[in-house]
Structures are given as structure tokens and as C-alpha cells.
């Protein structure tokens, strides 16, 4: 019987670029490695996925406690299409079942970030040094192509970064179907409520953070802007096309006024955190072309959204352009914003990892109430 990876081990698997996975040896089968000593020496388990491996079991009497394995119990029937075969000698939970099992030890915002990445067009993966070196050698020798549908984004200095572009692991319809399967399970209602807040199609952590700061209701620490669209395609006019030499561009975040008559385009600037590699357009050219199309455009940096005062000034300017009245936060809303900001700006490469030092009361204090989630 093959191991069924789940929780953080499965999440790390889904974050691995296929070109790196191709270099990973298979795991030893449990029946051939009963004491799991081989597992502890296997580089895929010990270096890439990390020990202990988290595996899923369906009955209590199958639970064992080898040092290299930590088992998660899932009673009852698994959701549809939630277990997948790999080429590395193990089974793995689907991205959504992975997030659902992780939700047991994540705060609501942490779960939201995990789902945003799965539903987004990016992943953040810091490859172990040994695998990084092996991958570089394989690409340079031509043994492995540089991309298998995943493209690595450059950093500001042109070096390789931890940000990768790929197709979404989860589509909106997949998320809806999964929620219908788990809504009656333990943790199901909370998972469904958080899923309603997930931005679909974000292209970077920067976009996710900006979207949440602008789009979450004020009771959860956001600004409460409605109807924010991500990565909106704009077909350029002849004059705008001459500015950038392209027929179309994509707006990172598009905000519209309640009556739909006014729109503001927000461009997330800076390849270190955004990584729009291969776009071929300079930010200034993109901004000018969009302005030529009649859009009001803000070039937003990560430093601006992480600084409360600078971000507040930008929000007020956006409100003026959308002809929307800005309202100062109440004391409760200020507390919610402080709570959101304390958890939002994280090291995305360590997203979802279990914090053994976090007491249960801390996790509960960091969770939103059912009333907040329903807004």
C-alpha cells in the first residue's frame, strides 16, 4: 500500500515545479521499508518534502508512529477525485483536500492565502540548495527543458527567484464543487466561508496582498471595495498600441465605481515581489498606454501597501477618482486592520507550515467570527 501524502507534505509537493520533480527519486514502498529507515535516507522525503512526512489514514487501527511519518486521521468518505497518483511511489491528496486538512492548524487568513495560491497563476517554491544545483546542471546540459509549463520569474537583479508562473491548480468551479462535498463535515462550514473570500487568478503574492487589503470587508481589516477584478485583459487602441508595441495588456487589479461609470487600474510594480516575467513591457509604457485608453492608473509598490499611512493616502485618492466617499475606520475596524496586517505580510515560501509554538488560543484569536465571514 502506497503512502498517501497530505497536509504540509502534499502542499510542498503541489508547489514543486515539474522540472524539479523530474529529478526526484521515488519513495520506498512501505511494505519494503517497514521501519521507514529508507524513507529517512531518501532525498525526496528528507530534503525536498521534509520529514516527518504527513500521511492520511482512514481508520484508527492503521495508525502507527514511526519518527519519519506523522499520520492524519480522516474518518468517513473522501470528497470526489481527492486522491491522485504520482510517479514517485506515493499517492497525494488533491490541492483542495490538502488545503482542507491543513485548515485544522491554520488561521482563517493563512487558509485564505493557501487557497489564493492554489487558485492563482503562481506558486512560491524555495528549492533546497542541492536540488537547485542539480536542476541548474540539468538545464545547462539540455537534459531537462527550462520549463514544463512552469516558468521561473526573475528577481530585480535578474537572478532566479522563488516565484514561479503556472496555470491555476484549482478553478472556481472546482472550488465550488469541493465546498459542496465538505460543507457538512467538521471544519467544512469554516472552509466554505473562507473560500468565498478567495481571489481567483492572482499572478503573485503581491497581487493577493493588495486584493485582500482593498477587497476584504472592513470588519476583517480591508477597505471594502467591491467587484475588484484581477488580471483584466485590455485590447489596445491603435494609438495605445504604438506606445508599447503590443495589441493587448493586462491590468493587475481593476476597481470600478458602484455605478460602473468610473474605473481605476492598479499596477503592482516591482519584479522582486510581482514577477511579471516575459511581459516585455516597461511599467511606464504600460501606464501610458492604459492612460491613453482612458484609465486612471496607480503604480503600486510593496512598500506602499505595507506602510499604513502611505496605503491610506492611496486609498483616499482611489476613492476620489471613483467618486466614492471615504470613511475613517472605527476603533473596531482599526483593530481588525492591525490584526490583518500582522499576518498578511509573510514569507510565502514558508506558507502553511505548522507552527508548533502557536498555542490553540492564539489560533482562535486569529480567526474571524462566523458573522465576519458572512459579510
Amino acid at each position: 500500500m502506497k503512502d498517501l501524502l497530505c497536509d504540509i507534505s502534499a502542499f510542498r509537493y503541489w508547489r514543486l515545479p515539474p522540472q524539479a520533480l523530474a529529478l526526484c527519486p521515488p519513495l520506498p514502498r512501505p511494505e519494503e521499508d517497514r521501519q521507514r529507515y529508507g524513507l529517512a535516507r531518501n532525498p525526496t522525503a528528507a530534503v525536498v518534502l521534509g520529514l516527518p512526512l504527513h500521511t492520511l489514514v482512514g481508520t484508527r487501527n492503521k495508525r502507527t508512529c514511526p519518527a519519519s511519518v506523522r499520520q492524519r486521521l480522516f474518518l468517513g468518505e473522501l470528497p470526489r477525485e481527492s486522491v491522485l497518483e504520482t510517479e514517485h511511489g506515493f499517492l497525494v491528496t488533491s490541492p483542495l483536500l490538502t488545503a482542507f486538512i491543513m485548515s485544522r492548524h491554520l488561521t482563517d487568513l493563512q487558509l485564505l492565502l493557501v487557497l489564493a495560491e492554489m487558485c492563482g497563476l503562481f506558486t512560491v517554491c524555495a528549492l533546497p540548495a542541492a536540488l537547485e544545483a542539480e536542476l541548474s546542471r540539468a538545464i545547462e546540459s539540455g537534459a531537462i527543458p527550462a520549463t514544463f509549463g512552469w516558468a521561473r520569474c526573475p528577481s530585480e537583479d535578474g537572478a532566479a527567484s522563488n516565484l514561479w508562473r503556472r496555470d491555476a491548480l484549482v478553478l472556481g468551479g472546482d472550488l465550488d464543487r469541493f465546498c459542496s462535498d465538505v460543507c457538512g463535515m467538521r471544519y467544512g462550514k469554516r472552509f466554505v466561508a473562507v473560500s468565498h473570500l478567495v481571489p481567483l487568478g492572482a499572478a503573485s503574492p503581491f497581487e493577493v496582498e493588495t486584493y485582500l487589503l482593498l477587497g476584504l470587508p472592513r470588519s476583517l481589516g480591508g477597505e471594502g471595495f467591491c467587484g475588484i477584478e484581477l488580471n483584466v485583459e485590455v485590447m489596445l487602441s491603435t494609438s495605445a498600441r504604438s506606445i508599447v508595441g503590443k495589441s493587448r495588456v493586462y491590468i493587475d487589479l481593476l476597481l470600478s465605481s458602484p455605478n460602473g461609470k468610473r474605473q481605476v487600474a492598479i499596477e503592482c510594480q516591482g519584479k522582486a515581489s510581482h514577477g511579471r516575467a516575459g511581459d516585455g513591457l516597461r511599467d511606464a509604457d504600460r501606464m501610458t498606454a492604459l492612460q491613453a485608453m482612458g484609465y486612471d492608473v496607480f503604480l503600486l509598490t510593496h512598500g506602499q501597501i505595507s506602510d499604513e499611512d502611505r496605503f491610506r493616502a492611496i486609498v483616499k485618492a482611489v476613492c476620489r477618482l471613483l467618486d466614492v466617499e471615504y470613511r475613517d475606520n472605527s476603533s473596531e475596524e482599526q483593530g481588525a486592520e492591525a490584526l490583518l496586517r500582522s499576518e498578511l505580510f509573510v514569507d510565502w515560501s514558508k506558507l502553511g507550515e505548522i507552527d508548533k509554538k502557536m498555542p490553540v488560543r492564539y489560533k482562535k484569536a486569529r480567526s474571524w467570527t462566523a458573522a465576519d465571514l458572512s459579510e
Side-chain angles (χ1 to χ4, degrees), residues 23 48 62 70 75 96 103 133 158 212 218 288 310 327 342 375:
L23 300 173
V48 179
K62 287 188 177 181
R70 181 166 298 165
L75 299 175
L96 285 173
S103 70
L212 296 180
R218 287 200 165 197
T288 305
R310 296 169 72 187
R327 176 178 61 82
S342 68
E375 290 193 13

Side-chain angles (χ1 to χ4, degrees), residues 129-144:
L131 182 57
E132 185 76 75
E134 188 175 352
L135 178 61
S136 296
R137 287 193 294 268
I139 292 175
E140 289 173 3
S141 68
I144 289 181

Side-chain angles (χ1 to χ4, degrees), residues 5 53 83 168 373:
L5 263 60
L53 287 184
V83 176
L373 289 169

Side-chain angles (χ1 to χ4, degrees), residues 7-9 11 15 54 72 95-118 187 190-191 194 343 346 348 350-356 358-368 373:
D7 208 294
I8 187 64
S9 298
F11 186 50
R15 294 183 115 184
H54 292 251
R72 299 294 190 198
L96 285 173
L97 182 56
T98 298
F100 183 67
I101 294 171
M102 291 173 70
S103 70
R104 302 178 186 183
H105 60 77
L106 298 179
T107 67
D108 292 338
L109 181 59
Q110 290 168 348
L111 174 60
L112 179 53
L113 297 182
V114 167
L115 288 172
E117 180 172 319
M118 290 178 169
Y187 304 106
R190 172 177 174 250
F191 185 92
V194 171
E343 258 193 302
V346 296
W348 277 73
K350 297 180 180 179
L351 182 63
E353 293 187 2
I354 300 172
D355 187 353
K356 298 178 181 178
M358 181 188 290
V360 174
R361 65 179 181 276
Y362 178 85
K363 179 191 166 186
K364 289 183 177 178
R366 295 285 175 170
S367 293
W368 297 317
L373 289 169

Side-chain angles (χ1 to χ4, degrees), residues 284-357:
D285 289 339
R286 286 164 51 82
M287 181 175 183
T288 305
L290 288 171
Q291 287 174 333
M293 294 288 294
Y295 290 95
D296 292 307
V297 184
F298 278 91
L299 289 181
L300 203 61
T301 67
H302 203 271
Q304 289 170 335
I305 68 167
S306 57
D307 183 280
E308 290 185 49
D309 293 335
R310 296 169 72 187
F311 181 71
R312 184 81 57 236
I314 291 170
V315 169
K316 290 179 179 179
V318 170
C319 286
R320 286 193 297 270
L321 290 173
L322 293 178
D323 198 21
V324 175
E325 183 180 358
Y326 177 81
R327 176 178 61 82
D328 290 327
N329 285 337
S330 66
S331 58
E332 291 81 6
E333 290 167 347
Q334 290 174 9
E337 182 182 9
L339 187 62
L340 174 64
R341 286 181 168 276
S342 68
E343 258 193 302
L344 184 60
F345 302 113
V346 296
D347 180 352
W348 277 73
S349 66
K350 297 180 180 179
L351 182 63
E353 293 187 2
I354 300 172
D355 187 353
K356 298 178 181 178
K357 298 179 181 180

